[in-house]
Amino acid sequence: AALKAADYVDSLTNPGPFTVFAPTNGAFDKLPKGTVESLVKPEKKADLRRVLQYHVLVSTYQAKDFKDGQVLGTASGGKVTIHVKDGKVLVNDAVIVASVPAANGIVHVVDGVLSPPAAP
């Protein structure tokens, strides 16, 4: 629903390659009440798109490719930091809990919603 609200579906159906960090339903439940409902309003389309783009890398990274301390640029122009601790890979503070290959890259399921830095 968020991808449709931000008109971002077509972008992610391109050939890629992409790495997408897809939050679990539980990750959305951790957000302050009303956050998702607010972001899907038409007047918040640009903000929603920026949040969604912050979850996308324009390259394919398998979990094994990530290195502790690695900083990667996102489709939003922001950066995420990778942490590798005790065999777990974290993107900022969200843990990758599963990885699913896709025709145009890979989807890493994460247990948190990644928050982009404030817009300049």
Side-chain angles (χ1 to χ4, degrees):
L3 291 172
K4 287 180 184 176
D7 287 332
Y8 199 50
V9 173
D10 288 342
S11 296
L12 290 178
T13 58
N14 286 326
F18 298 113
T19 297
V20 176
F21 301 111
T24 63
N25 289 341
F28 288 104
D29 293 341
K30 295 178 192 176
L31 293 173
K33 187 174 181 166
T35 300
V36 175
E37 295 79 9
S38 173
L39 280 173
V40 296
K41 291 180 179 179
E43 63 270 19
K44 294 285 193 167
K45 184 176 180 177
D47 293 337
L48 176 59
R49 191 174 185 100
R50 192 170 61 82
V51 169
L52 293 173
Q53 289 175 332
Y54 190 68
H55 287 76
V56 178
L57 306 177
V58 185
S59 191
T60 301
Y61 293 91
Q62 303 290 329
K64 65 180 176 53
D65 297 331
F66 293 125
K67 307 291 181 227
D68 191 44
Q70 188 175 21
V71 177
L72 300 167
T74 68
S76 72
K79 296 186 184 316
V80 293
T81 302
I82 304 299
H83 304 283
V84 180
K85 297 179 184 174
D86 301 323
K88 293 181 182 179
V89 178
L90 292 85
V91 183
N92 293 347
D93 295 322
V95 177
I96 294 177
V97 296
S99 298
V100 181
N104 60 354
I106 191 163
V107 176
H108 295 295
V109 180
V110 292
D111 70 354
V113 176
L114 307 179
S115 297

